[in-house]
Amino acid sequence: MKKYQTLLFDVDDTLLDFGAAEKEALYLLFKDQNLPLTKEIEERYKEINQGLWSAFEKGEIGRDEVVNTRFSLLFKEYGKEVDGTLLERNYRIHLEEGHQLIEGALELIIGLQDKYNLYIVTNGISKTQDKRLRASGLHTLFKDIFVSEDTGFQKPMKEYFDYVFARIPNFLAEDTLIIGDSLSSDIKGGQLANIDTCWFNPHMKSNNTKIMPTYHIQKLGELYQILNSK
């Protein structure tokens, strides 16, 4: 069994339930606008949002373009002109309150913190991720937190991981494992950075890509078996 010393954890949909936080934030945003949030509109928002973040991960657009245009693009499809930047600011206020934990996340991190060097690696907005991690009780359990906004790069870019590795004392790639839910961000990023990867896939989605993780788990508790640690 390979021995790891450094564990890199993604945040959204790995430790924190971003889906639940997003749903509540969207509901409150539309309530502010005196508009109903239908299932159709919610699904279309997710399609637009995922497309923009995918372009961001590929380095095709900047973070500001992602967050400041997603609502204007959405509302434009339904015949309404809005200030995308203003709606983003209001949405962010609601999203920062969302810190629902993935089942078993807090217990896992508490159980690992004295045995491993734990770090957060996340794409997103620094203020939002900081507030959510603090509210969830996770923040103080990690040695450091690396948010893409602060680094100038994002997962899966190798430059992002170079930035992270340079700030981890006595870093060794062969002793490091990244755990995350995204094949295109976490797993591909880990591969580009030459570290082992663990795909957290609670809904057992099919992998129709050429991105093959080192490990594949459905529940966070299964990580103990990979680490041979309990």
Side-chain angles (χ1 to χ4, degrees):
M1 180 68 69
K2 188 169 183 178
K3 293 291 186 181
Y4 297 102
Q5 294 297 320
T6 300
L7 304 181
L8 309 179
F9 281 90
D10 174 49
V11 173
D12 290 317
D13 292 325
T14 299
L15 298 177
L16 296 182
D17 189 340
F18 181 77
E22 177 187 56
K23 189 177 186 69
E24 179 67 11
L26 286 172
Y27 167 77
L28 292 171
L29 179 68
F30 273 70
K31 185 178 179 182
D32 293 342
Q33 297 292 311
N34 294 313
L35 292 170
L37 177 62
T38 66
K39 187 68 177 176
E40 175 196 340
I41 294 176
E42 184 179 356
E43 289 304 315
R44 183 58 189 140
Y45 165 77
K46 289 181 179 180
E47 290 172 2
I48 292 172
N49 189 47
Q50 288 170 1
L52 289 169
W53 279 112
S54 178
F56 172 72
E57 289 175 3
K58 295 173 185 175
E60 297 171 354
I61 61 175
R63 181 193 63 82
D64 287 348
E65 185 173 347
V66 175
V67 299
N68 292 329
T69 65
R70 52 188 176 183
F71 290 112
S72 55
L73 289 171
L74 173 68
F75 278 87
K76 188 174 183 179
E77 290 191 5
Y78 294 92
K80 185 177 175 65
E81 294 290 334
V82 299
D83 184 335
T85 303
L86 176 61
L87 260 63
E88 170 61 27
R89 192 179 307 132
N90 294 338
Y91 169 73
R92 186 68 44 191
I93 291 170
H94 296 313
L95 188 65
E96 287 173 0
E97 301 303 320
H99 55 268
Q100 300 92 328
L101 285 153
I102 294 290
E103 182 180 357
L106 185 60
E107 294 82 357
L108 174 74
I109 300 304
I110 289 173
L112 296 176
Q113 71 164 143
D114 292 331
K115 302 175 184 177
Y116 300 90
N117 300 315
L118 305 183
Y119 295 89
I120 287 287
V121 287
T122 176
N123 286 345
I125 313 301
S126 302
K127 180 185 174 186
T128 302
Q129 298 299 62
D130 180 81
K131 189 169 182 178
R132 295 173 67 227
L133 286 166
R134 288 182 188 279
S136 70
L138 288 169
H139 191 281
T140 59
L141 303 177
F142 289 86
K143 290 185 177 295
D144 209 342
I145 293 169
F146 300 102
V147 185
S148 60
E149 184 182 26
D150 297 327
T151 69
F153 306 102
Q154 66 273 355
K155 297 180 295 182
M157 293 172 67
K158 185 177 182 295
E159 292 87 345
Y160 171 85
F161 287 93
D162 288 342
Y163 178 101
V164 171
F165 297 164
R167 288 158 178 79
I168 295 178
N170 305 312
F171 174 80
L172 291 173
E174 58 267 31
D175 294 341
T176 303
L177 177 70
I178 183 171
I179 303 97
D181 71 295
S182 172
L183 287 169
S184 62
S185 175
D186 305 308
I187 308 308
K188 182 179 179 180
Q191 291 176 344
L192 291 173
N194 293 313
I195 60 174
D196 284 354
T197 60
C198 179
W199 183 30
F200 174 53
N201 184 17
H203 305 296
M204 296 307 290
K205 298 176 183 176
S206 298
N207 182 359
N208 299 315
T209 74
K210 295 181 180 180
I211 304 168
M212 294 295 122
T214 312
Y215 309 101
H216 183 189
I217 61 175
Q218 184 178 8
K219 295 182 179 180
L220 288 175
E222 294 173 40
L223 190 60
Y224 282 119
Q225 295 174 300
I226 293 170
L227 300 174
N228 194 26
S229 172
K230 189 64 176 173

